[in-house]
Amino acid sequence: MSDLAWVTPLKGEALEPITPETDGWFAHAKAQLFLAYQDERVVGRISAHIDTLGLTMPANQGFGPGVGQWGLLEAEHEEVFTALLSYGEDWLHGQDMKHALGPITMSIWEEPGLLIQGYDHPPTIMMGHASPDYRAWIERAGYVGVKQLLTYQLDIRPEFPKIIQRIVKSVRPTRASASAFAKSTIVSSRRRLRSFSRSLITPDRTHGDSFR
């Protein structure tokens, strides 16, 4: 990969979210995995998944009835990218989902959103790092942005400002971390990610590996 900021994930960490035996998310969710091949070589991938807990949420909280998700989307070319997205949508439609939200890999607590700013920074925990081309490809597929996410950079080597030190000294010890105050006070925007959503109008079609 030509992206100098890209950091290859550990194989164990990459496999855990798609392994029902190791990820408790599958206790209340199901997923369909797809791979795209060209001349017997893998050129793309996607997951389509449904979190049954998310289906019970109010729609104004982001999920809600009829909302499925997709994630793990990687492809070498837009044609492959769009085809994989269509297969994921078809599977969701076949599961009676009316809307698609993504990218989310796999749970909202793992890697939500698509990187749209900050490509010169290496990936951070729980935040994906995707090609700059993906945003345009997703928008051309009919998706619109619904949520922006930010990560922050805080240098913890210098001493915290006096006001933060006074706040820390004034509170009784609890399980809450005092660093949360520091992050709210001394922050610099590092990178932006966005989630996209669209309504599904595709016919039913299913291929790939299914996990439940």
Side-chain angles (χ1 to χ4, degrees), residues 119-141:
Y119 299 101
D120 54 332
H121 293 283
T124 55
I125 294 174
M126 298 178 66
M127 293 294 173
H129 187 91
S131 166
D133 295 329
Y134 286 3
R135 180 181 183 180
W137 295 356
I138 290 174
E139 290 177 340
R140 278 198 285 269

Side-chain angles (χ1 to χ4, degrees), residues 188-203:
S188 60
S189 177
R190 185 172 188 182
R191 45 202 261 145
R192 293 177 182 269
L193 298 98
R194 177 172 288 176
S195 294
F196 295 81
S197 179
R198 69 163 291 188
S199 296
L200 293 178
I201 53 173
T202 53

Side-chain angles (χ1 to χ4, degrees), residues 49-69:
H49 43 275
I50 300 168
D51 188 333
T52 57
L53 295 182
L55 297 178
T56 65
M57 295 172 58
N60 61 7
Q61 293 184 13
F63 285 4
V67 179
Q69 299 87 44

